[in-house]
Amino acid sequence: MNTIELHKDTSFDVNKLREQFPILNQSVNGKPLIYLDNAATNQKPLSVINSISNYYETINSNVHRGLHTLSERATEAYEASREKVREFINAKSANEIVFVRGTTEGVNLVASSFGKANINEGDEIIVTEMEHHSNLVPWQNLCREKNAVLKYIPVNDEGELILDDLENLITEKTKIISVVYISNTLGTINPVKKIIETAHRHNVPVMLDAAQAAPHLKIDVQNLDCDFLAFSGHKIYGPTGIGILYAKEKFLEDMPPYQFGGEMIKSVSYEQTVYNELPYKFEAGTPNISGAISLGAAIDFINSTGLEVIADQEKKLFDHAMNRMKEIGGIRFIGTAKEKASVISFLLEDIHPYDTGSILDNLGIAVRTGFHCTQPLIEQRFKLPGTVRASFAVYNTTEEIDIFAEGLKKVKQMLA
Ligand code: PMP
């Protein structure tokens, strides 16, 4: 251990950190904003906001094209960001990192390209009952197009996957399993490593939807041995419109391009086209250059804050919120898995989630209400009209949670 590690400052000053998030310092409906909708998108630190304007003020230019200096600088910054992503998830090579619009496009890319090449009539794809629509609808659509079968790993009443039957669910027809790493609705952290090991025993590749995992825990794609993984920039303190697809090189080599046009080609004649090498084969057209660069700034923010510090703060907020909410009485928690992230889905008495959400909004408190893009899970599995969801980020405070709990008491007084 070196001296820096020995003297590492472990104190975390949330108020100091909040100075980096100008959006938090405002009133909504005459009350200080309390932003508890972080699972939908989290707020951006100044370093990320500045990196966007800095890009347009200093190096805006198209990448991989011009020989001129600005284009070289933009390309360098764009590729440096890819390298940061590679390191962030411990991929073997930057060739395995494809910039996409977000998790949704990452899944669509795999369903469309891998699906086109590998899924045939009668084949099977496995997902879970707790998937976000973006890791369900693309597979549903692929199955419809190919006359393939979509199977579901079931969820128990606590919101955990029932994996006892996974071995039986997998057959020689199974071509891919795609699973959410952390559920955005239930907060469940799924045992994805175990699922991957089981799938690989049957030579079935696994895709992970890491949209909610990337902001909360260290992702190591080599240790997990996942074959595909996608996450969105806007859920890791980065901008919207950018995310990444990770895929093992052997899959990307074999998969056909997802979109066609400039950038994804090596040479074009009137008769035929030779596709570009990885990862450019999957990045047709001018990419979201400023988005990719500021995704790198978001990763810098996470690294400098420390994923452990983020996880500790979120755990503290989660425990505090659960204690305060249990005191209120009449709250039904949806998703009580042993392994949980800082997401709390609930119903207050028999009050409709929208009513709870609108009263909280009047108090300046932003929570999410409804299906959270997991309609089958809420409606068919849990038979609910929706839930209220509070989700925490590193910049939230226990004082904010106290005000949230007081808000819930007020809702209960008014409507229960
Ligand atoms: N999967 C999960 C678990 C999510 O929470 C989300 C976003 N709510 C997505 C996928 C989709 O992400 P995006 O809209 O950024 O593509």
Side-chain angles (χ1 to χ4, degrees), residues 39-41 101-107 130-135 180-185 209-213 230-235 240-243 368 372-374 389:
T41 194
R101 255 186 332 116
T103 312
T104 304
E105 190 172 43
V107 180
M130 65 167 84
E131 296 311 321
H132 187 282
H133 296 159
S134 65
N135 193 34
V180 67
Y181 197 157
I182 297 183
S183 161
N184 61 307
T185 299
D209 165 357
Q212 297 294 335
F231 69 80
S232 306
H234 70 97
K235 295 194 201 273
T240 53
I242 189 78
R368 177 85 183 260
H372 320 296
C373 295
T374 55
R389 183 186 70 188

Side-chain angles (χ1 to χ4, degrees), residues 53-275:
S53 55
N54 188 46
Y55 166 77
Y56 285 111
E57 281 172 22
T58 60
I59 59 169
N60 173 44
S61 200
N62 216 325
V63 288
H64 306 133
R65 308 240 164 124
L67 258 180
H68 62 80
T69 305
L70 279 197
S71 174
E72 275 177 12
R73 285 181 187 160
T75 305
E76 246 170 58
Y78 181 76
E79 291 304 328
S81 191
R82 196 190 307 272
E83 176 55 26
K84 276 182 199 170
V85 174
R86 184 204 65 72
E87 209 183 318
F88 186 59
I89 60 170
N90 193 31
K92 242 186 232 158
S93 154
N95 292 348
E96 299 173 318
I97 309 295
V98 179
F99 283 121
V100 289
R101 255 186 332 116
T103 312
T104 304
E105 190 172 43
V107 180
N108 272 280
L109 193 161
V110 178
S112 162
S113 162
F114 176 89
K116 196 180 282 175
N118 296 287
I119 310 290
N120 297 305
E121 187 169 344
D123 282 343
E124 296 170 357
I125 294 166
I126 299 177
V127 295
T128 80
E129 283 182 344
M130 65 167 84
E131 296 311 321
H132 187 282
H133 296 159
S134 65
N135 193 34
L136 199 172
V137 183
W139 302 115
Q140 226 173 34
N141 185 55
L142 176 63
C143 287
R144 193 182 46 81
E145 279 177 4
K146 298 277 192 161
N147 241 332
V149 180
L150 190 59
K151 290 166 128 185
Y152 295 89
I153 300 174
V155 171
N156 68 18
D157 289 345
E158 282 69 47
E160 293 165 327
L161 292 178
I162 303 171
L163 291 174
D164 311 349
D165 267 351
L166 183 58
E167 292 274 2
N168 295 333
L169 218 52
I170 301 172
T171 71
E172 71 281 3
K173 296 267 185 196
T174 310
K175 289 293 149 59
I176 189 165
I177 300 180
S178 193
V179 173
V180 67
Y181 197 157
I182 297 183
S183 161
N184 61 307
T185 299
L186 306 166
T188 313
I189 304 173
N190 286 319
V192 292
K193 199 163 177 191
K194 194 172 151 197
I195 296 172
I196 293 163
E197 279 166 8
T198 310
H200 283 179
R201 276 204 299 281
H202 298 264
N203 289 320
V204 175
V206 177
M207 167 148 208
L208 296 180
D209 165 357
Q212 297 294 335
H216 302 297
L217 47 85
K218 173 68 195 159
I219 291 175
D220 183 334
V221 291
Q222 291 189 67
N223 179 270
L224 289 168
D225 201 23
C226 57
D227 303 283
F228 304 95
L229 176 143
F231 69 80
S232 306
H234 70 97
K235 295 194 201 273
I236 64 158
Y237 307 96
T240 53
I242 189 78
I244 66 100
L245 169 71
Y246 158 83
K248 283 181 183 162
E249 225 166 326
K250 64 173 180 180
F251 288 105
L252 290 178
E253 290 288 0
D254 289 346
M255 281 157 53
Y258 171 55
Q259 291 181 331
F260 300 80
E263 188 75 8
M264 53 74 68
I265 51 91
K266 191 170 260 167
S267 74
V268 181
S269 71
Y270 285 122
E271 290 74 34
Q272 63 172 1
T273 293
V274 178
Y275 303 140

Side-chain angles (χ1 to χ4, degrees), residues 194-377:
K194 194 172 151 197
I195 296 172
I196 293 163
E197 279 166 8
T198 310
H200 283 179
R201 276 204 299 281
H202 298 264
N203 289 320
V204 175
V206 177
M207 167 148 208
L208 296 180
D209 165 357
Q212 297 294 335
H216 302 297
L217 47 85
K218 173 68 195 159
I219 291 175
D220 183 334
V221 291
Q222 291 189 67
N223 179 270
L224 289 168
D225 201 23
C226 57
D227 303 283
F228 304 95
L229 176 143
F231 69 80
S232 306
H234 70 97
K235 295 194 201 273
I236 64 158
Y237 307 96
T240 53
I242 189 78
I244 66 100
L245 169 71
Y246 158 83
K248 283 181 183 162
E249 225 166 326
K250 64 173 180 180
F251 288 105
L252 290 178
E253 290 288 0
D254 289 346
M255 281 157 53
Y258 171 55
Q259 291 181 331
F260 300 80
E263 188 75 8
M264 53 74 68
I265 51 91
K266 191 170 260 167
S267 74
V268 181
S269 71
Y270 285 122
E271 290 74 34
Q272 63 172 1
T273 293
V274 178
Y275 303 140
N276 209 341
E277 58 212 29
L278 297 178
Y280 312 112
K281 181 173 116 181
F282 292 98
E283 292 184 359
T286 300
N288 182 353
I289 307 167
S290 72
I293 293 170
S294 26
L295 176 63
I299 289 174
D300 289 341
F301 166 77
I302 289 184
N303 288 338
S304 64
T305 308
L307 258 175
E308 274 174 38
V309 170
I310 293 173
D312 284 352
Q313 173 70 359
E314 287 175 354
K315 171 90 175 62
K316 183 169 125 187
L317 296 164
F318 176 79
D319 289 345
H320 188 68
M322 286 302 286
N323 288 336
R324 292 301 318 263
M325 290 169 81
K326 281 177 186 162
E327 281 165 21
I328 298 168
I331 292 182
R332 178 176 164 201
F333 295 97
I334 312 300
T336 50
K338 281 184 255 349
E339 296 293 328
K340 264 200 76 154
S342 54
V343 171
I344 303 179
S345 254
F346 64 97
L347 288 157
L348 177 55
E349 304 282 359
D350 54 358
I351 303 164
H352 196 282
Y354 292 137
D355 295 331
T356 306
S358 354
I359 296 177
L360 290 175
D361 182 51
N362 281 332
L363 300 171
I365 303 164
V367 292
R368 177 85 183 260
T369 59
F371 297 132
H372 320 296
C373 295
T374 55
Q375 190 172 357
L377 176 74

